[in-house]
Amino acid sequence: MPLSAIRPPSADTPRTPAPADVLRTVSDARTPVFVTVHANGRRRYSYWRPLDSTTGRGGCYAALPTAECDELLSAGRIALGDPLTDPTKTTYRVRPVRTPQTPARIPSTPARPAQAPAQAPARDRVRAA
């Protein structure tokens, strides 16, 4: 009997991150993400996970799910940098694509300023004592 049938998966079992989590990892400037394309066509998206002193975890390379990364690449949310080629593989830096914000719409004709209510001349005003 396999061990997984005896014991339910623990909270430490890694789950597949959603594309938003992958994009958050790629967008973090402190976490450089790379994709390695092997000669047989296999792709592997990965990044270095720094050591977390409080939990004692990390200090290793971590792979990102290829399907989610390919989905973000085809949607134009991430882009590949310049290739670094070896005889058996090619490595690219993965960067997020910054979508330019649309500028605020400026009306073609300027709005006319509101007219201030007419005031009575100063000599007609009554001063309160």
Short mmCIF file of all heavy atoms in Angstrom, two decimals, residues 7-41:
data_model
loop_
_atom_site.label_atom_id
_atom_site.label_comp_id
_atom_site.label_asym_id
_atom_site.label_seq_id
_atom_site.Cartn_x
_atom_site.Cartn_y
_atom_site.Cartn_z
N ARG A 7 -1.60 8.10 4.89
CA ARG A 7 -1.50 9.42 5.51
C ARG A 7 -2.10 10.49 4.59
O ARG A 7 -1.76 10.55 3.42
CB ARG A 7 -0.02 9.72 5.75
CG ARG A 7 0.23 10.79 6.74
CD ARG A 7 1.69 10.92 7.01
NE ARG A 7 2.34 11.40 5.79
CZ ARG A 7 3.65 11.44 5.61
NH1 ARG A 7 4.46 11.01 6.51
NH2 ARG A 7 4.15 11.90 4.50
N PRO A 8 -3.00 11.34 5.10
CA PRO A 8 -3.53 12.41 4.25
C PRO A 8 -2.43 13.43 3.96
O PRO A 8 -1.47 13.56 4.71
CB PRO A 8 -4.64 13.03 5.11
CG PRO A 8 -4.29 12.69 6.50
CD PRO A 8 -3.55 11.38 6.44
N PRO A 9 -2.53 14.15 2.84
CA PRO A 9 -1.51 15.15 2.53
C PRO A 9 -1.46 16.22 3.62
O PRO A 9 -2.48 16.65 4.13
CB PRO A 9 -1.95 15.74 1.20
CG PRO A 9 -3.35 15.31 0.99
CD PRO A 9 -3.59 14.11 1.87
N SER A 10 -0.26 16.59 3.98
CA SER A 10 -0.09 17.59 5.05
C SER A 10 -0.18 18.99 4.48
O SER A 10 -0.22 19.21 3.27
CB SER A 10 1.26 17.40 5.74
OG SER A 10 2.29 17.68 4.82
N ALA A 11 -0.17 19.96 5.37
CA ALA A 11 -0.22 21.36 4.96
C ALA A 11 1.08 21.78 4.29
O ALA A 11 1.11 22.77 3.58
CB ALA A 11 -0.50 22.25 6.16
N ASP A 12 2.16 21.00 4.50
CA ASP A 12 3.44 21.32 3.88
C ASP A 12 3.54 20.86 2.43
O ASP A 12 4.49 21.19 1.74
CB ASP A 12 4.59 20.68 4.67
CG ASP A 12 4.69 21.27 6.07
OD1 ASP A 12 4.20 22.41 6.26
OD2 ASP A 12 5.24 20.60 6.95
N THR A 13 2.57 20.08 1.96
CA THR A 13 2.59 19.61 0.59
C THR A 13 2.43 20.79 -0.35
O THR A 13 1.47 21.56 -0.23
CB THR A 13 1.45 18.60 0.35
OG1 THR A 13 1.56 17.56 1.29
CG2 THR A 13 1.51 18.05 -1.06
N PRO A 14 3.39 20.99 -1.27
CA PRO A 14 3.27 22.15 -2.16
C PRO A 14 2.08 21.99 -3.10
O PRO A 14 1.81 20.92 -3.61
CB PRO A 14 4.59 22.15 -2.92
CG PRO A 14 5.11 20.76 -2.80
CD PRO A 14 4.57 20.21 -1.53
N ARG A 15 1.38 23.07 -3.28
CA ARG A 15 0.24 23.10 -4.19
C ARG A 15 0.65 23.82 -5.45
O ARG A 15 1.56 24.64 -5.45
CB ARG A 15 -0.93 23.82 -3.54
CG ARG A 15 -1.53 23.03 -2.42
CD ARG A 15 -2.71 23.79 -1.83
NE ARG A 15 -2.48 23.80 -0.39
CZ ARG A 15 -2.52 24.85 0.37
NH1 ARG A 15 -2.79 26.01 -0.13
NH2 ARG A 15 -2.28 24.77 1.65
N THR A 16 -0.04 23.56 -6.54
CA THR A 16 0.25 24.25 -7.79
C THR A 16 -0.24 25.68 -7.67
O THR A 16 -1.42 25.91 -7.38
CB THR A 16 -0.47 23.56 -8.96
OG1 THR A 16 -0.07 22.20 -8.99
CG2 THR A 16 -0.14 24.22 -10.27
N PRO A 17 0.65 26.67 -7.84
CA PRO A 17 0.21 28.06 -7.71
C PRO A 17 -0.63 28.50 -8.91
O PRO A 17 -0.48 27.97 -10.01
CB PRO A 17 1.52 28.83 -7.64
CG PRO A 17 2.51 27.97 -8.32
CD PRO A 17 2.07 26.56 -8.11
N ALA A 18 -1.49 29.42 -8.68
CA ALA A 18 -2.29 29.99 -9.75
C ALA A 18 -1.42 30.91 -10.59
O ALA A 18 -0.34 31.33 -10.15
CB ALA A 18 -3.46 30.77 -9.13
N PRO A 19 -1.84 31.23 -11.81
CA PRO A 19 -1.05 32.16 -12.64
C PRO A 19 -0.77 33.49 -11.95
O PRO A 19 0.29 34.08 -12.16
CB PRO A 19 -1.91 32.35 -13.88
CG PRO A 19 -2.69 31.08 -13.99
CD PRO A 19 -2.96 30.67 -12.56
N ALA A 20 -1.66 33.94 -11.08
CA ALA A 20 -1.41 35.20 -10.37
C ALA A 20 -0.23 35.06 -9.42
O ALA A 20 0.57 35.99 -9.27
CB ALA A 20 -2.67 35.63 -9.61
N ASP A 21 -0.11 33.89 -8.76
CA ASP A 21 1.03 33.66 -7.87
C ASP A 21 2.33 33.57 -8.66
O ASP A 21 3.37 34.05 -8.21
CB ASP A 21 0.82 32.39 -7.06
CG ASP A 21 -0.32 32.52 -6.06
OD1 ASP A 21 -0.62 33.66 -5.66
OD2 ASP A 21 -0.91 31.49 -5.71
N VAL A 22 2.28 32.94 -9.84
CA VAL A 22 3.46 32.86 -10.69
C VAL A 22 3.86 34.25 -11.14
O VAL A 22 5.04 34.62 -11.09
CB VAL A 22 3.20 31.93 -11.90
CG1 VAL A 22 4.35 32.00 -12.88
CG2 VAL A 22 2.97 30.51 -11.44
N LEU A 23 2.91 35.06 -11.55
CA LEU A 23 3.20 36.42 -11.99
C LEU A 23 3.75 37.25 -10.84
O LEU A 23 4.64 38.07 -11.04
CB LEU A 23 1.94 37.07 -12.57
CG LEU A 23 2.13 38.39 -13.28
CD1 LEU A 23 3.11 38.25 -14.44
CD2 LEU A 23 0.81 38.91 -13.79
N ARG A 24 3.28 37.04 -9.64
CA ARG A 24 3.80 37.74 -8.47
C ARG A 24 5.26 37.36 -8.23
O ARG A 24 6.09 38.22 -7.94
CB ARG A 24 2.96 37.40 -7.23
CG ARG A 24 3.31 38.22 -6.02
CD ARG A 24 2.40 37.94 -4.83
NE ARG A 24 0.99 38.08 -5.18
CZ ARG A 24 0.10 37.09 -5.15
NH1 ARG A 24 0.46 35.89 -4.79
NH2 ARG A 24 -1.15 37.30 -5.47
N THR A 25 5.61 36.09 -8.41
CA THR A 25 6.99 35.65 -8.25
C THR A 25 7.88 36.26 -9.32
O THR A 25 8.98 36.74 -9.04
CB THR A 25 7.07 34.12 -8.31
OG1 THR A 25 6.25 33.57 -7.28
CG2 THR A 25 8.50 33.64 -8.13
N VAL A 26 7.41 36.28 -10.56
CA VAL A 26 8.19 36.85 -11.67
C VAL A 26 8.36 38.35 -11.48
O VAL A 26 9.41 38.91 -11.81
CB VAL A 26 7.52 36.52 -13.02
CG1 VAL A 26 8.18 37.26 -14.16
CG2 VAL A 26 7.54 35.02 -13.28
N SER A 27 7.35 39.02 -10.95
CA SER A 27 7.39 40.47 -10.79
C SER A 27 8.26 40.93 -9.64
O SER A 27 8.63 42.10 -9.57
CB SER A 27 5.97 41.02 -10.58
OG SER A 27 5.17 40.75 -11.70
N ASP A 28 8.62 40.03 -8.73
CA ASP A 28 9.45 40.39 -7.59
C ASP A 28 10.88 40.62 -8.07
O ASP A 28 11.54 39.70 -8.58
CB ASP A 28 9.42 39.27 -6.54
CG ASP A 28 10.15 39.63 -5.27
OD1 ASP A 28 10.63 40.78 -5.14
OD2 ASP A 28 10.23 38.76 -4.39
N ALA A 29 11.38 41.83 -7.93
CA ALA A 29 12.71 42.18 -8.42
C ALA A 29 13.81 41.43 -7.67
O ALA A 29 14.90 41.26 -8.19
CB ALA A 29 12.93 43.69 -8.31
N ARG A 30 13.52 40.97 -6.46
CA ARG A 30 14.52 40.24 -5.68
C ARG A 30 14.62 38.78 -6.07
O ARG A 30 15.50 38.06 -5.60
CB ARG A 30 14.17 40.34 -4.19
CG ARG A 30 14.16 41.76 -3.67
CD ARG A 30 13.59 41.80 -2.29
NE ARG A 30 12.20 41.35 -2.34
CZ ARG A 30 11.44 41.08 -1.31
NH1 ARG A 30 11.93 41.19 -0.10
NH2 ARG A 30 10.19 40.70 -1.44
N THR A 31 13.72 38.32 -6.94
CA THR A 31 13.68 36.92 -7.34
C THR A 31 13.84 36.80 -8.85
O THR A 31 12.85 36.84 -9.58
CB THR A 31 12.35 36.27 -6.91
OG1 THR A 31 12.12 36.56 -5.55
CG2 THR A 31 12.34 34.79 -7.13
N PRO A 32 15.06 36.69 -9.36
CA PRO A 32 15.21 36.52 -10.81
C PRO A 32 14.72 35.13 -11.24
O PRO A 32 15.08 34.12 -10.66
CB PRO A 32 16.71 36.68 -11.04
CG PRO A 32 17.34 36.43 -9.73
CD PRO A 32 16.34 36.76 -8.68
N VAL A 33 13.85 35.12 -12.26
CA VAL A 33 13.28 33.89 -12.78
C VAL A 33 13.89 33.63 -14.15
O VAL A 33 14.05 34.55 -14.96
CB VAL A 33 11.74 33.99 -12.86
CG1 VAL A 33 11.14 32.74 -13.48
CG2 VAL A 33 11.15 34.23 -11.49
N PHE A 34 14.22 32.37 -14.42
CA PHE A 34 14.80 31.97 -15.69
C PHE A 34 14.01 30.81 -16.27
O PHE A 34 13.39 30.05 -15.54
CB PHE A 34 16.26 31.53 -15.50
CG PHE A 34 17.15 32.62 -15.01
CD1 PHE A 34 17.37 32.81 -13.65
CD2 PHE A 34 17.76 33.49 -15.90
CE1 PHE A 34 18.18 33.83 -13.20
CE2 PHE A 34 18.57 34.51 -15.45
CZ PHE A 34 18.78 34.68 -14.10
N VAL A 35 14.04 30.69 -17.60
CA VAL A 35 13.49 29.51 -18.26
C VAL A 35 14.64 28.86 -19.02
O VAL A 35 15.40 29.53 -19.71
CB VAL A 35 12.30 29.84 -19.19
CG1 VAL A 35 12.67 30.79 -20.31
CG2 VAL A 35 11.73 28.56 -19.78
N THR A 36 14.77 27.56 -18.84
CA THR A 36 15.79 26.79 -19.53
C THR A 36 15.08 25.92 -20.55
O THR A 36 14.19 25.14 -20.20
CB THR A 36 16.58 25.91 -18.54
OG1 THR A 36 17.16 26.77 -17.55
CG2 THR A 36 17.67 25.14 -19.24
N VAL A 37 15.48 26.07 -21.82
CA VAL A 37 14.92 25.27 -22.90
C VAL A 37 15.98 24.26 -23.30
O VAL A 37 17.05 24.64 -23.79
CB VAL A 37 14.50 26.14 -24.10
CG1 VAL A 37 13.88 25.29 -25.19
CG2 VAL A 37 13.55 27.24 -23.66
N HIS A 38 15.71 22.99 -23.07
CA HIS A 38 16.68 21.93 -23.36
C HIS A 38 16.62 21.57 -24.85
O HIS A 38 15.67 21.93 -25.56
CB HIS A 38 16.40 20.71 -22.50
CG HIS A 38 16.62 20.99 -21.04
ND1 HIS A 38 17.85 20.88 -20.43
CD2 HIS A 38 15.77 21.42 -20.08
CE1 HIS A 38 17.75 21.20 -19.17
NE2 HIS A 38 16.49 21.54 -18.91
N ALA A 39 17.63 20.85 -25.32
CA ALA A 39 17.74 20.48 -26.74
C ALA A 39 16.54 19.65 -27.20
O ALA A 39 16.13 19.74 -28.36
CB ALA A 39 19.04 19.73 -26.99
N ASN A 40 15.95 18.88 -26.31
CA ASN A 40 14.79 18.06 -26.69
C ASN A 40 13.48 18.85 -26.65
O ASN A 40 12.42 18.28 -26.89
CB ASN A 40 14.70 16.82 -25.79
CG ASN A 40 14.49 17.17 -24.33
OD1 ASN A 40 14.37 18.32 -23.95
ND2 ASN A 40 14.46 16.13 -23.50
N GLY A 41 13.53 20.14 -26.30
CA GLY A 41 12.34 21.00 -26.29
C GLY A 41 11.70 21.17 -24.92
O GLY A 41 10.78 21.97 -24.77
#
